[in-house]
Amino acid sequence: MSGEDAPAQQQNAVDQKQETKPTEEPKSEPPKTESAPAGAAEAAATPAATTEKVPEEETFTYRALVLTGYGGYDKVKLQVKKGKPTLKAGEVLVRVKACGLNFADLMARQGLYDRLPSPPVTPGMECSGVVEAVGEEVTDRKVGDKVMVLNRFGLWQEVAVVPANHTFLIPEGMSFEMAAALPVNYITAYMMLFDFGNLRPNQSVLVHAAAGGVGIAATQLCKTVKDVTVFGTASASKHEAITQGGVTHAIDYRTKDYVEEVRKISPKGLDIILDPLGGSDTHKAYNLLKPMGKLITYGAANMLAGQKKNLIAVAKNWYHQFSIHTLSLIQGNKSVCGFHLGYLDGETELLAQVMNTILDLYKQEKIKPRIDSTWHLEQVGDAMRKMQERNNIGKVILTTEPMPEEEKKEETKKEDKKEDKKKDDKKKDDKKKDDAKKEEKKDDKKKEEPKKEEKKEEEKKEETKKEEK
Amino acid sequence: MSGEDAPAQQQNAVDQKQETKPTEEPKSEPPKTESAPAGAAEAAATPAATTEKVPEEETFTYRALVLTGYGGYDKVKLQVKKGKPTLKAGEVLVRVKACGLNFADLMARQGLYDRLPSPPVTPGMECSGVVEAVGEEVTDRKVGDKVMVLNRFGLWQEVAVVPANHTFLIPEGMSFEMAAALPVNYITAYMMLFDFGNLRPNQSVLVHAAAGGVGIAATQLCKTVKDVTVFGTASASKHEAITQGGVTHAIDYRTKDYVEEVRKISPKGLDIILDPLGGSDTHKAYNLLKPMGKLITYGAANMLAGQKKNLIAVAKNWYHQFSIHTLSLIQGNKSVCGFHLGYLDGETELLAQVMNTILDLYKQEKIKPRIDSTWHLEQVGDAMRKMQERNNIGKVILTTEPMPEEEKKEETKKEDKKEDKKKDDKKKDDKKKDDAKKEEKKDDKKKEEPKKEEKKEEEKKEETKKEEK
């Protein structure tokens, strides 16, 4: 697997040129029937291929997940790519071993994340792997280095070309799955808690989706500070897991009003609230802050309802979007912060500092990513579904390991059932839409002083929706 | 001056009962012509009075500054009060030695600060003095303790009754003037920089009004952290002073665009911006932030234009008031915080912690309040004018020391000139109003996408103004 002997031919993630056309069933596309995609990748990746000295520059292929258009889980397709990469100065080629799934990937699939270029494009903002080639001017990475990678997109494929300063050396003994689970969640949780949040002993923190990737990272990081109380929301079935992970008070947001639950225990409110939800939950968070409290909002998960873009959910999120005047902040002595790692990609030095701190904490065994499940590239749809339907506890990982033949046959059987699943999904989506509509009506009634401008915004969205119909 | 032998009779700051009526010239009111107010105070304060054993409970008087109505400098009048204080549990009576002037006092005089009850009321949120009596349940203060006091209002008088936990022991060797200069400015600067701001080595900070009380405190506190770059705005005549005080780059905001000046030196922007100005300067500050930058707004000094409430300036400030959506915060990775000590008066434990840290820094000689000038109670108008016209470098202090006779004569001469001064003030105010009008027009032209709702708000204010006229 010596990278220099067998330079991987690959499209630049930014300037993607598809040499294979996206089809419904990627498996039927490659020459060697069903096993071909994995086979092709093996050819490029195994030492055997190198020793034979075939003209690899021309035959080199690798598998890549490609978002072919905005929509449901089936819009991310497994394709086989050909192409000779020309590494620019400062870049490295990484043979990818494992990739992390993030909420932004789910948003991106629905067209709700503006840091991903238009389809067709390969998603994926974190992975782990082995350096297979280095470009000019790269001095601190060498062929064979095990690295984790953070990039704006383009990492859900077997080989990826990235700037060397987007890679971080994997500590001794850390698995590729673990390494792929670490960067996005832990950097996000760390910067929110310790940069914006300025977390100190004896403080209280609310962690939404405490069983999710960021939630688990945040809980572990909270426990590195003395006597911090962590309120964590999750459905009841996950309470044992999050409590063992460090959550002090687990709250079932599906059956209880989390604001009331927090007030029962902490009547004065909280010091730090991490808000991945957006919309009306941001308002609730703001009101739950103590004086000198910090609200850190880092997403709009409330926008996601169903596997396709749900315009009602999006409109509702906009309608309820939190906006704050300085006078209110001054009188409340409060802080409102926004965080998203996807918009920090220019801050390589800052991110490297944070990553080093996080890796130190890992080496001291103070933090450890929790893997929920690992999926083959062929299974990316199911992997996304698991995360989006919030059935995961911890990180959902993709592996580039070839899928064993027997599993593939299993998968084929599943494929037959997929049509049924699709129907189910549609039903679910329709139900969610109905629910959203109902709740919206309820909310509208509740809402005091509706702002005309925001209403217009909503009406616009509604119109767009009609047009699309 | 033993407090227990001579219990001070005084109105409770919250439940103020005036036993003397406010008049235009307080000096003509007491029995002993001009020198009476000082004389009465001396009688209560000097040991001589105690040894004579006259029935002090009835004759006990003290001087107090009283805001008699919202408006110009002359609305704060020196009056003589009578009354026997009944200390509640947990309270102490403090013989006040020196008082600090703060921007909120200036806002309050114009009716722009909602933490001061309606006139007639004694302003003043910080002072220093000696404990003269302690109420029940007070265990950590005793008669004779030298203390500094932080209170919502009511400290600009010779005796003040406050909760014991609003007092802090003055360190050995610190003068009363110094002690009166410390609490508000240093707590404000400290909490902004180290709680919300999370200031760390190598960061950059913008300090507006760097020669003001908070500005000087913030600069000194910045210098306690390694390699922090301080950008400080002040008029050119103060540059030498603020540079000596620790400002790295002094900017004359009157002749230069501070945004441009900062960008020249720090093209990527700043880590922390302290904003006491409000209005359009808050927008500028937000745009000047680096990713992960923190904007901390703590006032609306732009509202103050002239000695009386300037409705145009107020309306303009409202019109330009900064409002932020979470989406912008997320995409910019920014933080917006509001701070005002006046709204933190319930947080006694938190404030005590901060105060202890500040006093430690003082003892280590890392910080030291800078006194601009000290004024007698009779001179409060001139003291406020000095601060409001930004002619001070450092803290403006009031002392309760009786004014020497010769100075009083001088003051009387000045009184004759006051009418002229008033005329001057009026001219100045009118000019400022004109300037504000002109600038507003200019701003209106510049402003993109004016929001209808905000415009209506402004129109309302304008109407109010017309009605008042």
Side-chain angles (χ1 to χ4, degrees):
Chain A
M1 231 201 293
S2 162
E4 275 178 337
D5 291 356
Q9 192 164 352
Q10 102 141 30
Q11 102 276 12
N12 183 307
V14 182
D15 183 24
Q16 181 163 334
K17 284 173 196 162
Q18 288 214 341
E19 299 199 6
T20 59
K21 282 176 200 164
T23 62
E24 277 306 304
E25 289 299 320
K27 281 173 192 167
S28 64
E29 193 188 321
K32 281 204 218 168
T33 68
E34 273 194 16
S35 62
E42 274 162 28
T46 56
T50 319
T51 49
E52 279 171 27
K53 296 284 175 203
V54 292
E56 282 189 323
E57 284 73 8
E58 280 152 39
T59 62
F60 184 85
T61 59
Y62 60 96
R63 296 178 305 151
L65 288 170
V66 176
L67 180 67
T68 55
Y70 299 129
Y73 304 122
D74 59 353
K75 293 291 181 189
V76 182
K77 298 184 192 303
L78 184 60
Q79 301 182 355
V80 175
K81 306 258 179 181
K82 295 179 195 169
K84 188 176 183 177
T86 44
L87 286 184
K88 284 186 222 131
E91 288 183 336
V92 295
L93 187 146
V94 176
R95 172 68 54 181
V96 177
K97 297 294 181 181
C99 315
L101 254 73
N102 286 292
F103 230 80
D105 298 316
L106 306 179
M107 304 284 279
R109 198 195 65 237
Q110 297 195 358
L112 293 171
Y113 180 56
D114 65 359
R115 299 299 279 167
L116 188 78
S118 303
V121 63
T122 291
M125 51 193 72
E126 66 187 335
C127 75
S128 59
V130 180
V131 174
E132 202 164 275
V134 297
E136 281 174 27
E137 294 170 27
V138 174
T139 54
D140 54 353
R141 294 288 175 270
K142 61 184 190 303
V143 172
D145 277 351
K146 291 180 179 178
V147 290
M148 50 189 97
V149 185
L150 199 60
N151 212 45
R152 227 178 89 193
F153 62 95
L155 301 184
W156 288 359
Q157 49 188 349
E158 288 180 322
V159 287
V161 172
V162 294
N165 61 10
H166 287 199
T167 67
F168 309 92
L169 294 175
I170 297 178
E172 201 65 44
M174 186 190 264
S175 70
F176 284 118
E177 278 79 9
M178 202 72 100
L182 193 124
V184 170
N185 291 166
Y186 282 81
I187 292 177
T188 297
Y190 186 91
M191 293 184 82
M192 291 197 297
L193 288 172
F194 295 108
D195 193 330
F196 281 147
N198 195 9
L199 177 62
R200 284 157 300 166
N202 298 306
Q203 290 193 320
S204 53
V205 182
L206 173 59
V207 177
H208 281 291
V214 173
I216 287 175
T219 304
Q220 291 178 2
L221 288 167
C222 280
K223 303 318 278 184
T224 66
V225 178
K226 201 166 170 279
D227 297 331
V228 167
T229 304
V230 181
F231 294 82
T233 69
S235 54
S237 63
K238 300 175 182 172
H239 282 200
E240 198 184 327
I242 63 171
T243 306
Q244 280 174 359
V247 167
T248 324
H249 304 288
I251 301 171
D252 182 1
Y253 67 99
R254 298 192 193 205
T255 59
K256 287 186 175 166
D257 178 340
Y258 66 84
V259 173
E260 274 178 30
E261 295 302 304
V262 169
R263 289 270 182 213
K264 277 182 202 165
I265 296 157
S266 191
K268 280 185 74 180
L270 301 171
D271 293 298
I272 298 176
I273 298 176
L274 308 182
D275 162 40
L277 304 172
S280 56
D281 286 291
T282 313
H283 292 261
K284 289 181 188 173
Y286 185 75
N287 292 326
L288 247 185
L289 288 179
K290 264 186 198 172
M292 299 309 293
K294 289 120 193 148
L295 160 58
I296 303 146
T297 184
Y298 65 105
N302 283 340
M303 271 196 200
L304 281 191
Q307 61 161 311
K308 292 185 190 172
K309 180 151 79 177
N310 181 329
L311 281 163
I312 292 178
V314 172
K316 197 175 144 189
N317 205 72
W318 268 101
Y319 183 65
H320 288 292
Q321 201 199 165
F322 188 66
S323 162
I324 184 74
H325 272 68
T326 47
L327 193 66
S328 163
L329 288 168
I330 289 174
Q331 294 186 341
N333 283 292
K334 291 180 181 180
S335 161
V336 177
C337 321
F339 184 86
H340 201 296
L341 192 53
Y343 298 89
L344 272 183
D345 53 345
E347 302 296 315
T348 45
E349 203 177 319
L350 178 62
L351 294 179
Q353 277 173 23
V354 174
M355 198 63 186
N356 284 336
T357 310
I358 289 168
L359 291 175
D360 281 345
L361 289 170
Y362 174 82
K363 289 170 199 163
Q364 295 163 32
E365 298 185 5
K366 289 188 177 168
I367 59 167
K368 187 182 175 189
R370 176 177 176 142
I371 311 288
D372 171 78
S373 50
T374 302
W375 307 75
H376 292 285
L377 294 185
E378 290 87 344
Q379 300 167 308
V380 63
D382 290 334
M384 288 189 292
R385 181 195 306 274
K386 179 145 199 202
M387 190 171 172
Q388 189 161 329
E389 294 185 354
R390 303 184 188 228
N391 291 324
N392 59 312
I393 299 182
K395 192 79 178 179
V396 176
I397 293 288
L398 297 173
T399 173
T400 56
E401 284 284 308
M403 203 173 185
E405 285 306 309
E406 53 269 39
E407 274 189 44
K408 272 190 194 160
K409 279 172 197 160
E410 282 293 308
E411 202 69 14
T412 316
K413 276 183 203 164
K414 275 190 209 160
E415 287 293 317
D416 300 339
K417 289 181 189 167
K418 258 193 186 164
E419 276 306 306
D420 299 341
K421 219 171 200 172
K422 266 187 194 169
K423 278 176 201 164
D424 274 6
D425 285 345
K426 195 173 169 346
K427 270 184 205 165
K428 269 187 203 167
D429 273 12
D430 287 350
K431 193 181 174 308
K432 268 186 191 155
K433 273 182 196 171
D434 282 354
D435 288 352
K437 262 185 196 165
K438 276 178 203 163
E439 211 182 309
E440 195 178 21
K441 275 182 193 164
K442 220 164 60 185
D443 278 12
D444 283 352
K445 278 180 197 162
K446 272 190 207 165
K447 203 169 156 58
E448 294 155 28
E449 305 171 26
K451 286 179 194 164
K452 279 179 194 170
E453 276 185 29
E454 284 175 347
K455 215 159 196 174
K456 270 181 205 158
E457 192 61 43
E458 202 198 16
E459 280 164 13
K460 253 187 234 166
K461 304 258 167 182
E462 282 289 339
E463 272 170 33
T464 318
K465 194 190 146 207
K466 278 178 201 159
E467 278 165 28
E468 283 192 19
K469 273 186 181 167
Chain B
M1 229 197 302
S2 163
E4 276 176 337
D5 291 357
Q9 193 166 350
Q10 101 142 33
Q11 102 276 14
N12 184 308
V14 181
D15 182 25
Q16 181 162 335
K17 284 172 194 164
Q18 288 215 340
E19 298 197 7
T20 58
K21 283 176 200 164
T23 60
E24 277 306 305
E25 288 301 317
K27 281 176 191 166
S28 63
E29 194 189 320
K32 280 204 221 167
T33 67
E34 274 194 18
S35 61
E42 274 163 29
T46 54
T50 319
T51 48
E52 279 172 28
K53 296 283 177 203
V54 290
E56 281 189 322
E57 285 73 9
E58 280 154 39
T59 62
F60 183 84
T61 60
Y62 60 95
R63 297 179 303 151
L65 288 170
V66 176
L67 179 67
T68 55
Y70 300 130
Y73 305 122
D74 59 353
K75 293 291 182 188
V76 181
K77 297 184 191 303
L78 185 59
Q79 301 183 356
V80 175
K81 305 258 181 182
K82 295 179 197 170
K84 188 177 182 176
T86 45
L87 287 183
K88 283 187 224 131
E91 288 184 337
V92 295
L93 187 146
V94 176
R95 172 68 55 180
V96 176
K97 297 294 182 181
C99 315
L101 253 72
N102 287 291
F103 231 79
D105 298 317
L106 305 179
M107 304 285 278
R109 199 196 63 237
Q110 296 195 358
L112 294 171
Y113 179 57
D114 64 0
R115 300 299 278 166
L116 189 77
S118 303
V121 61
T122 292
M125 52 191 71
E126 67 187 335
C127 74
S128 59
V130 180
V131 174
E132 201 164 274
V134 298
E136 282 175 27
E137 295 170 26
V138 174
T139 54
D140 54 352
R141 293 290 176 270
K142 60 181 192 305
V143 172
D145 276 351
K146 291 180 178 179
V147 291
M148 50 188 96
V149 185
L150 199 60
N151 212 46
R152 227 176 91 194
F153 63 94
L155 301 183
W156 287 359
Q157 49 188 346
E158 288 180 319
V159 286
V161 172
V162 294
N165 61 11
H166 288 200
T167 67
F168 309 93
L169 293 175
I170 298 178
E172 201 65 43
M174 187 191 264
S175 70
F176 286 118
E177 278 78 8
M178 201 71 102
L182 192 125
V184 170
N185 291 165
Y186 282 82
I187 292 178
T188 297
Y190 186 91
M191 293 185 82
M192 291 197 297
L193 287 172
F194 295 107
D195 193 329
F196 282 147
N198 196 8
L199 177 63
R200 284 157 300 167
N202 298 308
Q203 291 193 318
S204 52
V205 182
L206 173 60
V207 177
H208 281 290
V214 173
I216 287 175
T219 304
Q220 291 178 359
L221 288 167
C222 281
K223 304 318 278 183
T224 66
V225 178
K226 200 165 172 280
D227 296 330
V228 167
T229 304
V230 181
F231 293 82
T233 69
S235 53
S237 64
K238 300 176 182 174
H239 282 199
E240 199 185 327
I242 63 172
T243 306
Q244 281 174 358
V247 167
T248 324
H249 304 286
I251 301 171
D252 182 1
Y253 68 97
R254 297 191 194 206
T255 59
K256 288 187 174 166
D257 178 339
Y258 66 84
V259 172
E260 274 178 30
E261 295 301 304
V262 170
R263 288 269 182 216
K264 276 183 202 164
I265 296 158
S266 190
K268 280 186 72 179
L270 301 172
D271 293 298
I272 298 175
I273 298 176
L274 307 183
D275 162 41
L277 304 173
S280 56
D281 286 291
T282 313
H283 293 259
K284 290 183 187 172
Y286 185 76
N287 293 327
L288 246 185
L289 287 180
K290 264 187 196 170
M292 300 308 294
K294 289 120 192 146
L295 160 59
I296 304 147
T297 181
Y298 66 105
N302 283 341
M303 273 197 200
L304 281 192
Q307 62 160 311
K308 291 184 192 172
K309 180 151 77 178
N310 181 330
L311 282 162
I312 292 177
V314 171
K316 196 174 146 190
N317 205 70
W318 269 101
Y319 183 66
H320 288 293
Q321 202 200 165
F322 187 66
S323 162
I324 183 76
H325 273 68
T326 47
L327 193 67
S328 164
L329 288 168
I330 288 174
Q331 294 186 342
N333 283 293
K334 291 179 181 181
S335 162
V336 178
C337 322
F339 184 85
H340 201 295
L341 192 53
Y343 298 89
L344 274 183
D345 53 345
E347 303 296 315
T348 44
E349 204 178 318
L350 178 63
L351 295 179
Q353 277 173 22
V354 174
M355 198 62 187
N356 284 336
T357 310
I358 290 168
L359 291 176
D360 281 346
L361 290 170
Y362 174 82
K363 288 170 199 164
Q364 294 163 33
E365 297 183 6
K366 289 188 176 167
I367 59 167
K368 188 181 174 190
R370 177 177 175 141
I371 311 288
D372 171 78
S373 50
T374 303
W375 307 74
H376 292 284
L377 295 184
E378 290 86 346
Q379 299 167 309
V380 63
D382 290 334
M384 288 190 293
R385 181 194 307 272
K386 180 145 200 203
M387 191 170 173
Q388 188 162 329
E389 294 185 353
R390 302 183 189 228
N391 292 323
N392 58 313
I393 300 182
K395 193 77 179 180
V396 177
I397 294 288
L398 297 173
T399 174
T400 57
E401 283 283 310
M403 203 173 184
E405 285 306 310
E406 53 267 40
E407 277 189 42
K408 272 190 193 158
K409 280 172 199 161
E410 281 294 308
E411 202 69 13
T412 315
K413 275 183 202 163
K414 275 189 207 160
E415 287 291 316
D416 301 339
K417 288 181 190 166
K418 257 192 186 164
E419 275 306 305
D420 300 341
K421 218 171 199 173
K422 268 186 193 170
K423 278 177 202 163
D424 273 7
D425 285 344
K426 193 168 171 353
K427 270 185 205 163
K428 269 187 202 168
D429 274 12
D430 288 348
K431 193 180 174 307
K432 270 186 190 154
K433 274 181 195 170
D434 283 352
D435 288 352
K437 262 185 195 163
K438 276 178 204 162
E439 210 181 310
E440 193 177 22
K441 275 182 193 163
K442 217 164 61 184
D443 278 12
D444 283 351
K445 278 180 198 162
K446 271 191 206 165
K447 203 170 158 59
E448 293 156 27
E449 305 170 27
K451 289 180 192 164
K452 279 180 194 168
E453 278 185 29
E454 284 175 349
K455 216 160 196 173
K456 271 181 204 159
E457 192 62 44
E458 202 198 13
E459 280 165 13
K460 255 187 233 166
K461 305 258 169 185
E462 282 289 338
E463 270 169 34
T464 318
K465 195 190 146 209
K466 277 178 202 161
E467 278 165 28
E468 282 191 20
K469 274 185 182 170

